[in-house]
Amino acid sequence: MTKNELKDCHERIKPHIHRTPVLTSTLLNEISGATIFFKCENFQRMGAFKMRGAVSAISRLSENQKSKGVVTHSSGNFAQALSLAAQSLGIKSYIVMPTTAPQVKKDAVIGYGGEIVECSPTLEERERVANKIQEEKGATFLHPSNDLNVILGQGTAAIELLEDHPDVEYIFTPVGGGGLIAGTALAANFYGHDCKVIGGEPFEVDDAYRSLQSGKIEHNTTIDTIADGLKTELGDVNFPIIQKYVSDIIRVEEDEIISAMRLIWERMKIIIEPSCAVPLAALLREKERFKRKKIGIILSGGNVDLNNLPF
């Protein structure tokens, strides 16, 4: 990985993404004891950072590959991101979604021009159906988080944050499949000034925390968390990057996630999804450690089901 690869990726995707704002909150600074800069990817196209990685991955395909379309399996934000990115770049997308995926997310995929193929809600079935579409349609499979071009795309949010605030000492992100934190860690390494990256992860799905402890990819036996975007696990492409460049992962309780989510809704007047609140919850859990530090937080997305709020 080189700084040039990240820079080239950022230039390539700029026409298709928003440069999202960085917001601050005097009250949240007082509560945390730190100075926080929130990179608001909840204002990104389709409402989450995943638009960056989707555009990055599609833009690297050959003309022949583009002519046959792309396929992924996702129940949430990457499904929407790939649909919109494909539509923006004029190619076909097939989205394998479990029958249990929220209707609001299915409607969004259809609205962005994606063709949904439903399957049973198991990873094995999602992969089987995606493989079948690859064989039948010749479509290129793009993984939501374990693809180098996706990872580079996700890292561009941190590049923009560091361009705006070069003296940030830490960047916090949520950890699910590992694409965002891996990309952020690369960006911090190449663009930051001794900037460390910290992950936030629910205790209920702490596979990344355990993976860093054991040195190998660990799995979850339960996925009982409100942070539905963080139920996925690390992959063999992003894990080595995380091992090398991520300083720490802080685990948080479910009530801490809900409390952090509510704080942002109430105090900053912006909509974020539960997964997005996890890094703030992690900072508040260990605030003594980060007192008087300059902290960047990637607010990963705002695609929340308004009929199913935790408060």
Side-chain angles (χ1 to χ4, degrees), residues 231-250:
K231 293 179 179 181
T232 46
E233 298 176 351
L234 304 182
D236 59 350
V237 178
N238 59 50
F239 181 49
I241 299 170
I242 293 166
Q243 279 183 299
K244 186 171 182 181
Y245 294 115
V246 171
S247 297
D248 196 8
I249 293 178
I250 297 170

Side-chain angles (χ1 to χ4, degrees), residues 18 22 24-25 38 47 57 94 104 134-135 144 147 156 183 190 199 240 290 295 300:
H18 295 322
V22 177
T24 58
S25 163
F38 293 95
Y94 303 95
V104 64
Q134 277 179 274
E135 287 167 18
D147 175 299
T156 61
F190 291 123
F290 300 102
I295 310 279
S300 52

